[in-house]
Amino acid sequence: MSDIADRVKKIVVEHLGVEEDKVTESASFIDDLGADSLDTVELVMAFEEEFGIEIPDDAAETIQTFGDAVKFISGAV
Amino acid sequence: MFDLTGKNALVTGASGGIGGEIARALHKAGAVVTLSGTRIAPLEALAAELGERAHVATCDLSDAASVEALPKLAAEKMGSVDVLVNNAGITRDNLFMRMSDDEWQSVIDVNLTSTFRLCRGVLRGMMKARWGRIVNISSVVGATGNPGQGNYAASKAGMVGMSKSLAAEVASRGITVNCVAPGFITTAMTDKLNDEQKARILTQVPAGRMGDAGEIAAAVLYLASPEAGYVTGTTLHVNGGMAMI
């Protein structure tokens, strides 16, 4: 697994308090990992800080799963 | 009780009568304060009076860029914004049939839209800290209406609905959002009323007197305190019984 995916996973595990093996490529933050809408905003904020990037609102809306997040961030850094 | 040691507070309209008293009360409780307003001289005078733990940040609340910059500026001065008091407000009274779009819009912009922008601007830090206090200064007329103040009453009622919505969104993050609704308080704003107007108003106030700014500041201090952590989305009316709601 890439360095980016590891760092994203660490944030998700810490923020949502879920087991690491639940954070799979297709795991939906809301449907599978128990996030509410405010959690998703906070995750995006945490990604922005960790990677020093800006994630615009329309892009943030497309980030539904762990895989989406890794893919977006990999393209942005 | 009501110890704010280690907390950083931003107060808008701190050059005014009520805002100045709010800043004094928070400062006295141990908070670091950033005093914001349009006129720098009274802000610097108040900062000098308070001594340590007081900063000044001028801001024109009718200017979007200036408003957007204020939370960042305050956080740079203090390290964070843990308590936000949106106290600044203007009136441009006129009878409804005579009210211009400009009179309407300027009051909505300064009283309501700037409050929205400042709340939004401080949320990120409060969410990360899992602690925050937002106190929006509404008005009794936001609940009762008042002839000649359609714009002002709308802005103050708008603050209440906005505060409740935000309160529901961020309650799980340890952030509370409340309003304080002053009745008739002795300030420069009410000094503009003539004696006849004041006498008429007082007939509607069971307490039989105008309130003073310190009585508003005490309500704000309570809502800003750790002890008020379970109070959110409410409006604390401080009006001598003028409107019991």
Side-chain angles (χ1 to χ4, degrees), chain A residues 15 36 38-42 45-46 48-49, chain B residues 123-125 127-128 130 169-173:
Chain A
H15 190 87
D36 63 19
L38 195 55
D39 286 318
T40 62
V41 173
E42 287 188 295
M45 278 163 40
E48 287 178 332
E49 283 182 20
Chain B
L123 279 175
R124 181 182 281 242
M127 298 250 287
K128 285 182 71 179
R130 290 291 189 269
E169 286 187 26
V170 299
S172 64
R173 286 358 184 225

Side-chain angles (χ1 to χ4, degrees), chain A residues 30-74:
Chain A
I30 290 175
D31 295 334
D32 301 316
L33 301 175
D36 63 19
S37 56
L38 195 55
D39 286 318
T40 62
V41 173
E42 287 188 295
L43 281 173
V44 166
M45 278 163 40
F47 297 152
E48 287 178 332
E49 283 182 20
E50 171 73 18
F51 296 99
I53 55 173
E54 284 259 341
I55 304 178
D57 287 346
D58 54 347
E61 281 170 22
T62 68
I63 300 175
Q64 303 283 335
T65 66
F66 172 65
D68 292 339
V70 173
K71 191 174 160 204
F72 180 87
I73 293 164
S74 301

